[in-house]
Amino acid sequence: MLRILRLPALDQVIEILSAQESETLLMAGGTDILPRPAALASTRLLIDLSQVAELQGIALDAEGRIRIGAAVTHQEIVDHPLIQRKAQLLSMACSSIGSVQIRNLGTIGGNLANASPAADSLPALVCLAAEVALASPRGIRFLPVSAFILGPGRTARAADELIESVRIPVVTGRRVAFFKKAGQRRGMCCAKASVAMCAHRHGDGRLTKPRVAMGAVAATVISVPAAERVLADRVLTMAVIEEAAAACCEAAQAIDDIRSTASYRRHVVGALLTEGLAEIYDHMQDLARRQARRRRRRS
Amino acid sequence: MRVDIELGINGSRSRFAVEPDERLVSTLRDRAGLTGTKQGCKIGECGACSVIMDGKLVPSCLVLSASADGADLLTVEGVAQDGNLSDLQQAFVAEGAIQCGYCTPGMLLAGEYLLSRYQRPDTAQIKEAIAGNLCRCTGYTKIVAAIRKTAKKRSLVKSSAQGR
Ligand SMILES: Cc1cc2nc3c(=O)[nH]c(=O)nc-3n(C[C@H](O)[C@H](O)[C@H](O)COP(=O)(O)OP(=O)(O)OC[C@H]3O[C@@H](n4cnc5c(N)ncnc54)[C@H](O)[C@@H]3O)c2cc1C
Ligand code: FES
Ligand code: FES
């Protein structure tokens, strides 16, 4: 017999989780749970997290990091000015999820906990060095996203823990970022492969502290240190872009499945990185031209 | 064990005793008798079941009725006012944006939701707004045109009201 508890407070959820009743399931937006056939057949207690006060909201935490409550929806992330200004990459990634209907229900906590290799928020969160905050009777512990995600559908969450929030360190300075996703069509589809990138941009055309991560080309989201090394401290040129793209293709541990083939995935991550970096290259050329014009006018 | 819930549907509140795993689309169609909301895929892909819940467009097949307790809903039955088709509905008719009609209730609510967020959406924004709504008949062009036409009309009405 299924029972549903719609709890308003985090400590109530923690109390029930620590009682360790079997067949208890947490649900936020339900967009991963409810489409499954016989979704709740073996569930006895369903805890609806969508109203838990402590899991809401986007704001800076005491340490100056961006805190996104676990039950915040993808659309709230896309629309939020703080995310647009300070974590634009995440807003780009979340805007590519499903449709507006799915983004209005689906949450960042659900996307993380579900741990799909194709989950779109994950490459962005890895590039942004985000941490997952896990709440339990023992308090809150923090794990980097890459340590939280263990495999397809597998995470480091203990049975009595829930995701409380995601924390993103704020970095200052001029930034560039992109999220590119290859799917069957633009709307409403799971990634065959995805690439996220962010970096600091300098007036002389150099990128520093580049971060590159890829989705759907391995058992988990992976970062691509080889591509980061190619890009770091170098002026972005077409030759550099080609070299970085080759590093992405090399790093992809892609598989064949219903959505795509391994060889297509390996090829397409290079193409996605090239497309994204080429846009950044154009953007930087534009900026340089404008600056030169301004300088000429002044002298 | 049934769950007692209250829903505000198109401005009037009613109580229902629902199964714990019941989806909102079933409560609307089978308990409230509002069959305008359609069920297509039951997995969030087609948008036929879209309703506006507390101001947000959601697929009602992926909402448990028990989780919707207390919510305010707008379904297609609430779009017309006093028996008169809304401007968006009239534009759908005029543009030929309806063939079999199965997607129409969801499309209308997706359109209303878009227009509640943007006064003058461009074509890309309109296409993005209905990306979660499948239509197997019209080819979308006429649906996009109907929404664009309504957006233009509404913003003209609004600016002339402000000008006065
Ligand atoms: C039509 C459709 C299209 C989609 N398209 C995309 C897409 O393009 N990209 C993409 O990445 N995803 C996509 N998804 C998947 C899904 O929408 C996302 O993964 C979403 O973020 C899940 O969030 P949720 O709140 O709905 O999760 P739920 O279904 O509520 O939960 C998912 C899992 O997370 C657990 N969980 C939820 N919250 C917590 C928490 N706070 N602590 C611990 N565990 C928790 C649940 O127990 C469950 O195991 C799509 C889904 C549908 C139906
Ligand atoms: S029936 Fe709900 S989206 Fe298809
Ligand atoms: S009119 Fe038939 S599905 Fe859209």
Side-chain angles (χ1 to χ4, degrees):
Chain A
M1 184 54 94
L2 175 67
R3 247 180 357 122
I4 299 186
L5 281 180
R6 214 167 155 223
L7 299 173
L10 185 63
D11 50 11
Q12 292 173 302
V13 180
I14 291 173
E15 195 178 316
I16 290 177
L17 280 182
S18 62
Q20 298 266 3
E21 273 180 67
S22 56
E23 289 123 26
T24 298
L25 184 64
L26 299 174
M27 187 176 91
T31 60
D32 274 318
I33 293 174
L34 296 177
R36 289 177 197 146
L40 302 171
S42 63
T43 305
R44 299 195 58 181
L45 180 61
L46 184 71
I47 305 179
D48 178 347
L49 299 175
S50 63
Q51 304 300 308
V52 177
E54 291 89 341
L55 303 184
Q56 314 298 327
I58 299 175
L60 293 178
D61 69 8
E63 273 130 75
R65 296 174 296 185
I66 301 171
R67 177 192 178 279
I68 307 174
V72 169
T73 65
H74 297 299
Q75 193 62 39
E76 289 175 89
I77 291 175
V78 172
D79 290 338
H80 202 281
L82 183 62
I83 305 291
Q84 286 166 1
R85 264 185 292 120
K86 295 293 181 190
Q88 199 198 4
L89 179 57
L90 185 62
S91 146
M92 291 168 166
C94 290
S95 73
S96 84
I97 291 180
S99 59
V100 71
Q101 287 96 323
I102 298 300
R103 293 193 293 276
N104 275 337
L105 283 179
T107 65
I108 186 104
N111 206 222
L112 274 159
N114 198 55
S116 158
D120 286 321
S121 73
L122 299 185
L125 290 173
V126 166
C127 286
L128 294 168
E131 293 198 312
V132 182
L134 292 161
S136 73
R138 300 174 295 285
I140 287 197
R141 67 170 174 136
F142 294 94
L143 280 179
V145 169
S146 47
F148 174 75
I149 305 283
L150 300 179
R154 284 196 312 121
T155 70
R157 179 178 85 87
D160 65 348
E161 284 180 319
L162 78 152
I163 301 174
E164 185 259 356
S165 63
V166 181
R167 313 287 173 116
I168 301 173
V170 172
V171 275
T172 49
R174 300 196 188 101
R175 307 265 287 164
V176 289
F178 67 80
F179 177 77
K180 296 280 173 192
K181 167 174 168 178
Q184 195 71 37
R185 60 192 185 112
R186 253 258 294 290
M188 213 57 167
C189 84
C190 267
K192 293 172 183 220
S194 64
V195 179
M197 202 264 344
C198 64
H200 287 270
R201 164 175 74 78
H202 296 269
D204 58 4
R206 267 179 321 123
L207 296 181
T208 58
K209 300 208 178 100
R211 293 284 170 269
V212 180
M214 307 193 291
V217 293
T220 65
V221 53
I222 51 172
S223 59
V224 195
E228 293 168 357
R229 275 195 300 276
V230 170
L231 296 170
D233 288 315
R234 285 174 74 183
V235 173
L236 199 60
T237 62
M238 283 305 167
V240 170
I241 293 176
E242 248 170 61
E243 211 182 310
C248 283
C249 299
E250 183 74 23
Q253 304 146 26
I255 56 159
D256 289 323
D257 70 6
I258 50 162
R259 278 200 288 274
S260 191
T261 62
S263 71
Y264 174 78
R265 285 187 160 113
R266 260 194 307 276
H267 168 77
V268 85
V269 286
L272 292 172
L273 187 85
T274 304
E275 185 186 330
L277 286 176
E279 284 170 17
I280 288 176
Y281 175 82
D282 286 345
H283 173 62
M284 288 172 65
Q285 295 283 311
D286 260 4
L287 288 173
R289 262 195 298 273
R290 234 176 290 157
Q291 213 172 16
R293 222 176 299 140
R294 231 176 291 135
R295 227 176 277 134
R296 238 177 290 136
R297 228 175 285 144
R298 246 183 267 135
S299 60
Chain B
M1 201 177 50
R2 296 256 186 110
V3 187
D4 280 310
I5 62 162
E6 191 186 288
L7 297 175
I9 309 176
N10 303 325
S12 66
R13 300 199 76 83
S14 328
R15 300 200 66 86
F16 302 94
V18 301
E19 299 299 332
D21 61 350
E22 187 169 315
R23 312 293 170 103
L24 186 56
V25 60
S26 307
T27 306
L28 288 170
R29 291 178 56 85
D30 304 337
R31 295 192 197 279
L34 297 173
T35 53
T37 303
K38 303 301 178 203
Q39 181 172 288
C41 65
K42 280 164 89 175
I43 53 169
E45 304 253 2
C46 76
C49 67
S50 300
V51 300
I52 295 181
M53 181 167 93
D54 293 330
K56 288 180 181 157
L57 189 73
V58 297
S60 60
C61 68
L62 294 188
V63 175
L64 291 181
S65 302
S67 297
D69 187 17
D72 282 308
L73 304 171
L74 178 67
T75 71
V76 70
E77 289 87 351
V79 171
Q81 296 293 321
D82 310 319
N84 299 317
L85 295 185
S86 73
D87 51 356
L88 185 60
Q89 286 172 312
Q90 288 175 30
F92 267 60
V93 174
E95 292 293 322
I98 309 169
Q99 287 184 27
C100 80
Y102 203 83
C103 69
T104 310
M107 284 291 182
L108 286 168
L109 289 165
E112 284 298 349
Y113 178 67
L114 171 74
L115 296 176
S116 75
R117 284 164 54 85
Y118 300 98
Q119 255 193 48
R120 285 298 297 273
D122 59 27
T123 302
Q125 285 170 321
I126 296 173
K127 286 185 176 172
E128 167 60 35
I130 59 167
N133 296 73
L134 296 181
C135 176
R136 296 291 80 162
C137 307
T138 68
Y140 301 103
T141 314
K142 295 176 174 184
I143 295 173
V144 172
I147 296 174
R148 193 192 301 114
K149 198 168 119 183
T150 307
K152 193 168 170 188
K153 213 159 154 190
R154 283 191 196 177
S155 70
L156 285 179
V157 170
K158 208 162 175 185
S159 59
S160 74
Q162 277 163 352
R164 229 173 279 143

